Amino acid sequence: MAAGRVTMVDIARHAGVSKSTVSLVLQGSPLVKAETREKVSAAIDALGYVYNRGAANLRRARTNIVGMVINDLANPFFAELAVGIERVFQAAGFIPLMANTQENPARQAEVLKSMREHDIAGLIVCPARGTRGEDLASLAKAGMPVVTAMRKLAGTRLPSVAPNNVRGARRATEHLIRLGHRKIAFVGGYADMIAQNERCGGYLSALESAGIAADPSLVVEGAPNRETGHMAVARLIATGATAALCFNDVVAFGVMDGLAERRLRAGVDFGLIGFDDVREARFTSPPLTTVGVDSQGLGERAAHTVLRMIHGDTRAEDHVGDVSLIIRESCGAAEGGKP
């Protein structure tokens, strides 16, 4: 076989793999196992194949830039998520372009328009509150690989990566019930957010299973930030709540602030659980009991999904990450105890 006429099909046949696998090896993708990579490399050497990278880039007709659109980088959880995303993209030879929308759909629309004009290769979006399915579906229809992270959009088939919100909230609420609490609040998030629906749904499910009637006054909606938690304390005290599950750790930090202003302490005067397990959670006073979510792992999963889509995988599916209850002092149980 003449070296100049060797094709990727020839390499695939010689190595006993698919043409797409050969393509991934040539592009340096981390998605290929080391054993398979060695097999393809041996076939390339044996047949004398020369990879024309310039022509390949022209055929792809896209840059090696990928977009990361984050809804709230002020929240340490999303900063940790972004670290995981960036790590995978850089290892795969892609340049991540990141933007913070600050939960503003108008700002998000501007960012998406700009990224599309730069002909990015793929996109991960943590949708801002109020994002419509069609806002991102139109990008997918135009051929751009799009994955949503943390917030799945109703009415779209875009693959999403998120933790098991229902299970996490249910386990946290069940733990508070086992500690003897009956007036348990849920604090933070808005009812039009899918993540809030899921987490509040897990909370309500646990109450129902325990025979505890749900009290609408104990569900406190608000932006998922520290201010909401801080302001909620007055209402929690007024309703007689003895414990709370918060939408996220940042809201729980705000509840701690509000309790401290009233000379009350989480874990002693009030049971408190957060959600996400950001790094700061273990260093608060007292350390925060929380639902553990592998933020960087979810980010890595989202990035790998986009890479597979960039390389032609049309079978990308949703991923629901596992969660765990991490018991520290703020709930009133001994740190490291079993849920």
Side-chain angles (χ1 to χ4, degrees):
M1 183 181 296
R5 301 183 62 181
V6 177
T7 68
M8 282 197 290
V9 173
D10 298 323
I11 300 298
R13 185 179 298 115
H14 191 278
V17 299
S18 67
K19 179 183 174 183
S20 61
T21 298
V22 175
S23 178
L24 289 174
V25 171
L26 291 171
Q27 295 175 55
S29 171
L31 303 176
V32 182
K33 294 180 179 179
E35 180 182 352
T36 303
R37 185 183 305 278
E38 291 175 3
K39 190 185 301 182
V40 172
S41 297
I44 289 172
D45 291 340
L47 299 180
Y49 178 77
V50 177
Y51 181 46
N52 189 333
R53 189 171 299 276
N57 287 338
L58 288 173
R59 286 194 299 272
R60 186 169 66 178
R62 289 196 185 280
T63 66
N64 65 336
I65 299 174
V66 284
M68 299 164 50
V69 181
I70 311 297
N71 59 300
D72 184 13
L73 277 176
N75 183 333
F77 173 84
F78 289 103
E80 293 171 16
L81 181 83
V83 168
I85 295 172
E86 188 175 34
R87 179 186 298 130
V88 171
F89 282 152
Q90 288 187 339
F94 284 81
I95 300 171
L97 179 63
M98 183 165 61
N100 178 25
T101 64
Q102 299 178 321
E103 293 285 15
N104 186 330
R107 167 63 178 158
Q108 179 177 273
E110 294 174 358
V111 167
L112 293 175
K113 181 177 182 293
S114 177
M115 287 189 173
R116 188 170 184 178
E117 289 172 352
H118 283 82
D119 200 27
I120 58 175
L123 179 66
I124 294 175
V125 184
C126 299
R129 181 188 172 210
T131 301
R132 302 169 302 171
E134 56 264 33
D135 295 339
L136 300 183
S138 60
L139 296 175
K141 289 179 180 178
M144 181 180 296
V146 181
V147 172
T148 62
M150 300 310 298
R151 298 177 179 176
K152 182 174 177 61
L153 291 179
T156 74
R157 295 185 177 181
L158 299 176
S160 69
V161 173
N164 194 324
N165 290 313
V166 175
R167 179 184 298 172
R170 183 180 177 106
R171 292 184 66 185
T173 307
E174 289 172 343
H175 180 64
L176 291 172
I177 293 170
R178 282 194 294 271
L179 292 175
H181 296 284
R182 292 296 178 268
K183 296 205 72 173
I184 303 169
F186 183 90
V187 183
Y190 293 103
D192 61 356
M193 297 165 55
I194 288 181
Q196 195 271 2
N197 287 177
E198 293 176 343
R199 294 180 184 184
C200 190
Y203 151 82
L204 293 172
S205 175
L207 294 181
E208 181 180 6
S209 294
I212 301 174
D215 182 349
S217 70
L218 293 176
V219 177
V220 184
E221 289 190 31
N225 57 31
R226 200 163 187 143
E227 288 75 14
T228 288
H230 180 267
M231 294 177 62
V233 173
R235 179 169 166 181
L236 298 180
I237 292 175
T239 58
T242 62
L245 168 63
C246 295
F247 175 79
N248 61 22
D249 289 344
V250 176
V251 172
F253 298 155
V255 173
M256 281 188 174
D257 294 340
L259 290 172
E261 286 183 358
R262 293 164 174 80
R263 298 189 177 182
L264 300 173
R265 182 174 170 85
V268 177
D269 305 296
F270 192 87
L272 185 64
I273 298 182
F275 206 114
D276 288 342
D277 192 31
V278 299
R279 292 188 180 186
E280 187 182 346
R282 70 200 70 174
F283 302 116
T284 55
S285 181
L288 180 66
T289 296
T290 183
V291 177
V293 174
D294 183 6
S295 55
Q296 293 192 24
L298 288 173
E300 292 172 356
R301 182 68 178 238
H304 280 304
T305 301
V306 167
L307 288 176
R308 287 198 301 271
M309 295 170 72
I310 290 172
H311 293 305
D313 186 348
T314 59
R315 300 169 297 173
E317 298 178 348
D318 293 346
H319 171 74
V320 180
D322 198 10
V323 295
S324 60
L325 183 60
I326 301 173
I327 298 175
R328 301 190 180 107
E329 295 176 18
S330 72
C331 64
E335 183 168 352
K338 294 184 178 180

